[in-house]
Amino acid sequence: MADTKTKKTPKAADGLRGVPTDTALRLLREMLLYRRFEEKAEEAYAIGKIGGFCHLHIGQEAAAAGTILALDEGDYVISAYREHTQALARGMEPSVIMAELFGRATGCSGGKGGSMHLFDVERRFMGGHGIVGAQVPLASGLGWKIRYREENDVVLCFMGDAAVNQGAFHEALNMSAVWKLPVIYVVENNEYGMGTAFSRVSATEIHERSCAYGIPSSIVDGQDVLATYDAFRTLIDEVRGGGGPRYVDLRTYRFKGHSMSDPVSGTYRSKEEVDGKVKEADPIRLLRDELMEAGLLDQESLEAMDAEAKKQALEAFEFADESPLPDEGELYTHVYAELGHGRIFMDGRERPGGGA
Amino acid sequence: MAEITYREALNEALREEMERDPDVFLMGEEVAEYDGAYKVSKGLLDVFGDRRIVDSPISELGFAGLGVGAAMAGLKPVIEFMTFNFSILALDQVINHAAKIRYMSGGQIPCSIVFRGPNGAALQLSAQHSQACETYYVHAPGVKVVTPATPADAKGLLKAAIRDPDPVAFMEAEMLYNVKGEVPDDDDFVIPLGVADVKREGTDVTILTHGKTVHVALQAAQKLDKDGVSVEVVDLRSIRPLDVDTILASVKKTNRAVYLEEGWAFAGVGAQIVSMVQEEAFDWLDAPVVRVMQADVPMPYAKNLEQMAKPSAERVVAACNRVLYR
Ligand SMILES: Cc1ncc(C[n+]2csc(CCOP(=O)(O)OP(=O)(O)O)c2C)c(N)n1
């Protein structure tokens, strides 16, 4: 054994910084999948397989893995439009997500939602919302249900830093504090809205935003997946025990543009800034290096892991690409739960598939 | 006259009105340093500085309300919504405040303000980002609603909207920004609100429409022309005020009408117009007026469903044939 004072070579069972080794490895495997999945999505967008907006989470993988993997099955997750990897973290099938991005019948919303509106009720993944800040009161509502039925679950509500300036954010936090709702509000603080730095449009810091409502706030390094995981396990325990809402300034950085039409760097952030962050704070590389240094991961298993992630991403792409478009009769389904008496659609058209 | 895009025409209108009137300022998300999400305000920050071209936080209700307050005190705000989809968050300020303040104050308090931005269906942006919002705005007395279809109209009407003493919802079409057209370069080229424009003359059937779908109507008219049907296309240009005379004159001339719009049919703008036409020109109608609208569903993401949901030239042709009993 090497000198333990200068170089620690822990046994697998010791784990890393309080996180068991198998969990740390799982976090790495997950983040690799997210990265490869989104690279595939980026490619698919470039060749026109995906339309509309496509907001990638590349660089922010730890903010999905380190938080959502700390949850139990019955817990809820709700998010904004940058949610592919969060859906993956919640266990949704890559192929079903990719098919939704492609607008295919096999997607999680049958092709009706697209990239910004992923849902999986079974896994308690409640979206996928496109209006900045509007999911925050919805999260309080999920928390309300848990308290109402005297259940023991918690809600993770994700939002971007820009969302904290919306009125809906403040109204929702106030109510959650008043009624001690089991919600953890997570601000994925990547420093920018679209092209506007948070500091230019905000009078106070992110982490101060919940003070007025008496909601405990913490700052977590969102590029450090182990720290994130550790912090969230504690927070989730506190909330699950009836401790009321929590609020987290999760510091992260988006490596790509706001969406596919926005360049990676340029008008609002310099190339040096982005390159520096990619170099210093890639959550995947940070964990990989730490695991290797601790002797818990070797090159061979890393490559195997990455190959598996690439394979899953490719399979998702192929599944989506081979999937059919939604049936034309689907245009009028799911607007209402069911069609009763009276005319319910009012556009005077003949409907495909003959709906009422 | 210069050939410029719809986007450039709007930019010129803003620039000229800001030069003309120091009380005019522009506020909204990304309008300054980013040049506007759709680049309508490109370069204006350099000319007017950050006192008058102002990046706001993402707080639609807040900055729309701030604009209303500033207008109550006599300034002339132009509030940009990144798209009108997000303006729904600000409707309270527009409907309950901007629209009513003059009335409630017995005429004491002005509210000269323009709410502007892209509106309508886009490409595969799904239910929350792809919808026509004019119905929300036309419903309330006190607000004017303008929907330009060409670069020239965009410029002339925006200048009129900014000079207007009342609140105006100026709804640009997201899909028209790159469309080019001839635009007079005269500083005082203003198109008064409430004057419709006959974009194409015809004798057999009238298509009543506004905004982006003017182009769909013109396409349909071309197709019908090949079948020997002469179509008149009336571009309403503003929905409030509505140019009833031009509408009725056209319907009385062709005796048949189709209403075309991107919004939902139910209780929509078309419902109002059809009702007015039958009240005031019933005796001239040879067929019931037919509407061509967005399917009565939220906008789907999938390409094929989206295409079915939107009004198309084919559907307009079919509607014209229907009112012609062909
Ligand atoms: C109410 C509303 N206003 C504007 C937009 C347009 N928009 C979409 S994303 C975005 C920036 C949001 O930034 P942030 O919340 O920090 O999230 P990030 O994109 O950084 O993940 C804006 C302005 C919107 N979707 N909804």
Side-chain angles (χ1 to χ4, degrees), chain A residues 172-314:
Chain A
L173 261 66
N174 181 54
M175 288 187 287
S176 281
V178 169
W179 294 313
K180 285 202 167 329
L181 303 180
V183 185
I184 304 174
Y185 299 96
V186 187
V187 180
E188 284 191 76
N189 180 2
N190 63 16
E191 302 174 33
Y192 296 92
M194 269 177 62
T196 301
F198 179 76
S199 55
R200 290 188 52 233
V201 285
S202 185
T204 56
E205 298 293 331
I206 296 274
H207 64 90
E208 296 168 335
R209 282 301 165 105
S210 69
C211 298
Y213 310 105
I215 298 177
S217 128
S218 39
I219 299 174
V220 175
D221 177 355
Q223 299 311 89
D224 179 345
V225 74
L226 298 179
T228 303
Y229 182 77
D230 202 41
F232 274 77
R233 273 193 313 176
T234 308
L235 286 167
I236 290 165
D237 280 349
E238 290 170 8
V239 172
R240 208 186 292 291
R246 292 290 184 279
Y247 175 82
V248 184
D249 175 353
L250 188 60
R251 305 235 161 126
T252 182
Y253 198 80
R254 101 172 120 66
F255 289 1
K256 299 281 175 171
H258 169 70
S259 68
M260 297 297 297
S261 58
D262 180 37
V264 173
S265 59
T267 51
Y268 61 91
R269 50 180 204 179
S270 66
K271 189 168 176 334
E272 294 70 53
E273 177 185 318
V274 180
D275 289 350
K277 287 281 191 183
V278 172
K279 205 159 151 240
E280 301 298 319
D282 182 335
I284 298 179
R285 194 158 53 224
L286 290 174
L287 178 60
R288 183 199 69 188
D289 290 353
E290 196 172 337
L291 280 163
M292 283 190 156
E293 216 151 286
L296 299 173
L297 176 72
D298 56 34
Q299 189 62 27
E300 200 180 332
S301 21
L302 173 69
E303 278 168 21
M305 235 184 233
D306 195 31
E308 174 59 23
K310 282 182 176 156
K311 181 164 154 269
Q312 279 182 279
L314 180 64

Side-chain angles (χ1 to χ4, degrees), chain A residues 101 130 200 346-347 349, chain B residues 55 60 128 296 301 308 315:
Chain A
L101 267 50
R200 290 188 52 233
M346 295 295 177
D347 53 12
R349 294 204 205 183
Chain B
D55 278 329
E60 279 77 6
Q128 294 181 332
D296 200 12
Y301 168 76
M308 287 169 61
R315 285 183 46 225

